[in-house]
Amino acid sequence: MIQADADLSRLDRAIVNAFQGGFPVVERPFEPAAAALRERGVDVTATELCERVRTLDDEGTLSRFGALVNAEEIGGTATLVAMHAPPERFDEVADQVNAHREVAHNYEREHPHLNMWFVVSVAEESRVDDVLGEIEAETGQQTYNMPKLHEFHVGAKFLLDGPISDGDLDLSHLGPDVEPSDERMLTPDERDLVLEIQGGLPITETPYADVADALGQDTAWVVETIKRFNLEGKVRRVGVIPNHYALGYSENGMTVWNVPDDIVMEVGPEIAALDFVTHCYRRPRHEGVWPYNFFAMTHGRSKEESDARIERVREVMSDYWDVADDDWDSLFSTRILKKTGIRLDERADANTE
């Protein structure tokens, strides 16, 4: 198991391992959470657990604490885009791309041609072509849109050496019984809730009550709605969101594969089942420029560890077809150019009754 670079205590490691998902959605969630840790041999009270989560968040070990909202289920769309930025103009092109408020993330990646990769997030899908047209006109460079055709897996877990090292603690069953609905649109109250929690929950012993107070709602409604959103997929998970860089996971390798179309839907779940694969998608090829239709993101604490994990992906792929050297590539990020997150306000507004 991985040893973190951060100076983390046994309790810290238990928190990171136990609560990257499945944190209880009840009025006083730290009480059952602390009780579950005590059952696993970690002696802590609810107050101590809450205080430690707050400290880990303040210190940057956690990116945030709360509900990870699934933007796609809230409204609008997001797409991955690649382009070539000439080396002599790279920073200029990056500034032009980043100036667009619809660009949420932008990375420089190792590739001889497509060296800039960014995410465009819009409230209306038709806006994607408009934004890419503006970027092409400003930069003089062609963009290559690679929307997600199928999602096999999204669920990064960064586990550490220490208690609950399998990350198998799940308290999501606690709380009220709720039934998922088939309703895609948000009510105005639900939209307000999404916007209130998108940046994290208050790190207090009564986080859902605090959200309810901010919205002028009943605590029971907030608890029931967040739990229902979790069942419906509008919330991917509730818990701590680690800063993987603070935990030492500094290498993120985007591996891309030219999987035969007739087996890609069979291969996808097998790659997604690898516990170190954090994102796994099918995306379109671009003839003459981009032959790959399958993306698998891996994270590691060193180039050597990442290479070993990528080799494991290749071994699984090889069980299904004869993978040639030119059937795959790995694009490591070399620089974060922009990272502002998805703008949920506009997307939620577009999907509100």
Side-chain angles (χ1 to χ4, degrees), residues 139-281:
T139 64
Q141 300 297 314
Q142 185 172 351
T143 60
Y144 298 92
N145 188 12
M146 301 187 193
K148 180 171 53 180
L149 301 180
H150 188 87
E151 177 183 300
F152 295 104
H153 175 69
V154 176
K157 272 197 174 184
F158 301 96
L159 299 177
L160 305 171
D161 180 36
I164 318 172
S165 56
D166 291 333
D168 59 344
L169 184 59
D170 186 358
L171 303 178
S172 59
H173 62 283
L174 299 178
D177 291 329
V178 295
E179 292 292 331
S181 74
D182 296 326
E183 184 60 53
R184 294 282 299 177
M185 297 292 287
L186 300 172
T187 67
D189 286 343
E190 289 172 345
R191 175 203 55 205
D192 293 344
L193 174 61
V194 167
L195 299 186
E196 182 68 25
I197 68 174
Q198 66 173 319
L201 292 171
I203 308 178
T204 69
E205 293 189 52
T206 57
Y208 306 113
D210 293 342
V211 169
D213 287 345
L215 296 175
Q217 295 282 357
D218 293 332
T219 302
W221 179 83
V222 170
V223 168
E224 290 169 4
T225 305
I226 292 177
K227 188 167 183 184
R228 175 169 57 81
F229 278 2
N230 202 2
L231 292 175
E232 294 170 349
K234 293 183 177 70
V235 165
R236 291 192 184 274
R237 61 184 183 273
V238 180
V240 300
I241 314 298
N243 175 355
H244 60 272
Y245 292 105
L247 299 184
Y249 288 87
S250 58
E251 297 287 327
N252 83 64
M254 186 174 74
T255 65
V256 292
W257 307 79
N258 183 14
V259 180
D261 289 334
D262 60 339
I263 64 169
V264 65
M265 298 303 291
E266 182 181 4
V267 170
E270 296 300 316
I271 302 302
L274 297 172
D275 60 5
F276 53 81
V277 172
T278 59
H279 303 73
C280 193
Y281 306 109

Side-chain angles (χ1 to χ4, degrees), residues 314-330:
R314 192 195 65 77
E315 290 172 355
V316 174
M317 290 281 190
S318 296
D319 290 339
Y320 291 86
W321 97 99
D322 187 14
V323 182
D325 288 344
D326 59 356
D327 280 336
W328 71 283
D329 200 355
S330 180

